[in-house]
Amino acid sequence: MTFQGAVLQVIPELQTGGAERTTIDIAKAVVDAGGKAVVAARDGGRMVDELLGAGAYFAPMDVHTKNPWKMWANRGRLIKLIAEHDIDIVHARSRAPAWSALWAARAAGRKFVTTYHGFYKAKTAPKRFYNSVMARGDIVIANSNFTRDHILATHNVTPDKVVAIPRGVDMDVFKWAKVEGARRAGLAAAWALDRGESRLTVLLPGRLTAWKGQSIAIEAAELLKNTGQQALFTFILAGDAQGRDGYEAELQNLIAARDVGDMVRIVGHCNDMPAAYAVCDIVLSTSVRPEAFGRVAAEAQAMGRPVIATDHGGARETVLGDVTGWLIPPCDAAALASRLTAFAKMSDAGRNNMGLEARRHVAERFSVEAMCEATLRAYERVLDA
């Protein structure tokens, strides 16, 4: 489809994560469709070069700030940016920058769109008001049906303004055959994986934060070791601490306390996730709290990797239980260990068939092309309105 509008996306930073990935994908889609894409974010992000390579404009700005005076000052900066690029739609993807973006869009007479990428704590009236900016868009995009239900239950917004557009996976990038042998070998060497061993590689990707459930994987490793299965599995915890050095130290201490240092490795940030999925056998998404969507589960399945995910949130949409992976109760290390034992007993043909079903499932429902087309249609809808 074609799209002639100019879209300014506002996001705290372009380092890593699902919201950031979607920002890049939509910017590229806008440019490819004939429009103009601009992104305002904190300077110095890992993904800025990719954004520029897609033909979009980058406006470095401290929109991540939660300081009320700086947020108000960002309003003025965004108004100037809107005028400079003749922006039609301002699309906000996080709360603090969303307030600055809302004020700027309204002052400039432009359309305002938001995407609800996650869930926000709201125990007090001021916090509920702060969160409400994400439901103030002319259209509110939810990244899953689960998220859409949450928005309607939480905010006073009419249902026809809230549209569910699941995150998309680039099926050409996340394709096993496209990951060259050198990439796989390089990452396997960096992670000290011996592909000649009979061990299964269990990958848990995600930033190092307690709610991603890394401790559950460590506890499952201990249970597997206690049943004599330590030689069957290697657990890789791949993710950036993002300043949470204390939590990373807690995980290292837990690995030592559970005596699973021979099974579990923390490897830090990975900038080649297709290769990461390619060198593993199965992927975990053991989030303690519900994922709004669950990018890891979708990407892993696109690479033909079965997924074990927590049975809540967006995982119920992205993972087909007993077909493309398995859903287990939250915080249940015993269930995780049991499922991994069953996976180890599967035949190679059984694992491959599950991987093929996983890729087919994502291609049919969660491709980046489908996400981008639906988003551009939402943009057209808001401009027509």
Side-chain angles (χ1 to χ4, degrees), residues 122-204:
K123 295 182 179 179
T124 65
K127 195 61 178 287
R128 286 192 292 272
F129 176 76
Y130 176 68
N131 295 345
S132 73
V133 68
M134 299 308 295
R136 293 173 184 246
D138 298 304
I139 284 183
V140 179
I141 297 173
N143 64 358
S144 66
N145 288 315
F146 174 69
T147 304
R148 183 178 187 275
D149 292 342
H150 170 78
I151 294 168
L152 294 176
T154 305
H155 300 286
N156 182 23
V157 57
T158 56
D160 64 336
K161 286 181 60 176
V162 186
V163 57
I165 303 178
R167 283 181 183 163
V169 178
D170 190 327
M171 300 301 294
D172 196 49
V173 170
F174 289 92
K175 184 177 183 180
W176 200 93
K178 286 292 185 76
V179 182
E180 300 86 355
R183 286 166 62 188
R184 298 195 301 270
L187 194 57
W191 290 353
L193 298 175
D194 183 352
R195 301 307 290 167
E197 289 183 343
S198 59
R199 285 184 178 228
L200 296 171
T201 301
V202 182
L203 174 66
L204 197 169

Side-chain angles (χ1 to χ4, degrees), residues 293-314:
F293 173 72
R295 177 174 58 99
V296 163
E299 290 179 351
Q301 290 176 97
M303 287 291 296
R305 293 298 180 255
V307 174
I308 302 176
T310 310
D311 187 11
H312 54 196

Side-chain angles (χ1 to χ4, degrees), residues 9 15 59 79 91 110 137 157 176 196 222 227 232 292 323 332 344 350:
Q9 297 182 83
Q15 285 289 356
I79 289 173
H91 186 165
R110 301 303 196 266
V157 57
W176 200 93
E222 180 190 28
T227 55
L232 294 182
V323 178
D332 194 334

Side-chain angles (χ1 to χ4, degrees), residues 182-251:
R183 286 166 62 188
R184 298 195 301 270
L187 194 57
W191 290 353
L193 298 175
D194 183 352
R195 301 307 290 167
E197 289 183 343
S198 59
R199 285 184 178 228
L200 296 171
T201 301
V202 182
L203 174 66
L204 197 169
R207 62 187 181 276
L208 299 186
T209 179
W211 81 272
K212 289 294 184 180
Q214 287 92 356
S215 63
I216 309 301
I218 295 169
E219 292 169 14
E222 180 190 28
L223 294 174
L224 291 167
K225 184 167 188 172
N226 290 343
T227 55
Q229 300 181 74
Q230 65 267 29
L232 294 182
F233 301 98
T234 295
F235 288 75
I236 298 294
L237 309 184
D240 197 333
Q242 295 182 339
R244 303 180 188 88
D245 297 335
Y247 179 65
E248 183 173 1
E250 287 178 23
L251 292 178

